[in-house]
Amino acid sequence: MSGLRVVPTWQHGRERLYVCLTDGRNIAWYDREAARVNLIGEDRREDVLQALRPFLTGPVTVGPPPVPTPAELARLSLHPDDDLAPNRPGEALLIALDRNPGGPVPRLRTDPRRRALEAEQTVGEALDRLDGAGWHTLHSVPLPGGDRIHHLLIGPGGLFAIHTLYARKQRILVADPMVTPGRREPRPLLRRVRADADRASYALTAEVHPVLALVGPARVSLDGPVREVRVLQDTGLAGLARLGGVLKPADVEALHAMARDRNTWARV
């Protein structure tokens, strides 16, 4: 018996199987998606492979962990309180609802925060599915003054600040800068969407494109051209993955490492 234990973990949607000594120290891990067993030391190589044998799903590469890139080193140096990557879609709304479930509306009316949360979760899930195509998404990015960017998408096609709007079964009229959902009063929402992208561009010193994501609309009508802002339905967000030719993989990783640091957004 080698005395080794295999402990599964999930990080950002990827499974890793850690091989641990009896005192809890890790001596190797198996990245199933990369088909690689990373050994911290060669002296227990055969014991590690024996412990992992029931979990291996095909041919694997075995060797020392790859040398971390500068972006990975920057990410590893982040204090957990400053790392925005673990934020869930609608993180700020989830916290607000947990602190005050009743909200500021009469009991018989639906709390608008819950509809907004549904919209952010729907869009967030769609964006998270792009992760395997070389994209990264940060959710609920806090800005000074209590504002936040609902979602920040970073990938080969560039950077996108995405603002979500609950529009379930509503007719949406877009007349730049006004957005009218159903029979409600129009709001200059596109100004907010552009402002979020401008603040992100300033923080990251890179061009960030504004996107308005409409969740579940019955119909979308554009009254004239819309300046700069992409207006998409949640079902069309996957099309962003087809964009490319703007950022190299190393640039994507570097921008992601910068964007996930809370301190990056402190003065925008």
Side-chain angles (χ1 to χ4, degrees), residues 80-99:
D81 290 343
D82 292 330
D83 190 356
L84 300 177
N87 279 7
R88 300 160 292 178
E91 182 76 28
L93 289 169
L94 286 164
I95 293 173
L97 286 164
D98 183 60
R99 290 175 177 170

Side-chain angles (χ1 to χ4, degrees), residues 110-223:
T110 301
D111 190 332
R113 296 176 302 171
R114 298 193 181 279
R115 289 180 173 174
L117 176 60
E118 179 186 335
E120 290 191 42
Q121 289 176 330
T122 299
V123 169
E125 289 169 3
L127 296 174
D128 285 342
R129 287 194 288 270
L130 304 183
D131 187 67
W135 294 77
H136 298 291
T137 306
L138 296 172
H139 305 291
S140 209
V141 177
L143 301 174
D147 293 331
R148 61 192 176 87
I149 297 172
H150 292 176
H151 314 278
L152 182 70
L153 180 66
I154 305 170
L159 297 93
F160 300 88
I162 300 170
H163 186 93
T164 66
L165 179 65
Y166 181 90
R168 190 75 63 193
K169 298 181 180 179
Q170 298 176 11
R171 296 180 179 180
I172 304 296
L173 174 63
V174 180
D176 196 0
M178 311 303 288
V179 176
T180 307
R183 297 180 180 178
R184 285 185 284 167
E185 290 293 318
R187 293 187 294 149
L189 187 57
L190 297 188
R191 289 179 187 162
R192 159 75 187 277
V193 178
R194 282 190 283 261
D196 286 349
D198 288 344
R199 294 175 78 177
S201 296
Y202 180 82
L204 300 173
T205 62
E207 185 178 13
V208 179
H209 304 283
V211 177
L212 175 62
L214 304 171
V215 176
R219 190 174 72 187
V220 180
S221 300
L222 301 180
D223 186 4

Side-chain angles (χ1 to χ4, degrees), residues 142-145 198-200 202-204 261-268:
L143 301 174
D198 288 344
R199 294 175 78 177
Y202 180 82
L204 300 173
D261 185 351
R262 185 183 300 273
N263 297 300
T264 297
W265 308 95
R267 291 182 296 276
V268 299

Side-chain angles (χ1 to χ4, degrees), residues 47-86:
D47 290 339
V48 166
L49 293 178
Q50 181 64 33
L52 286 172
R53 196 175 308 280
F55 306 97
L56 300 179
T57 55
V60 295
T61 303
V62 182
V67 177
T69 65
E72 290 170 330
L73 288 173
R75 182 184 72 239
L76 292 171
S77 67
L78 276 182
H79 188 280
D81 290 343
D82 292 330
D83 190 356
L84 300 177

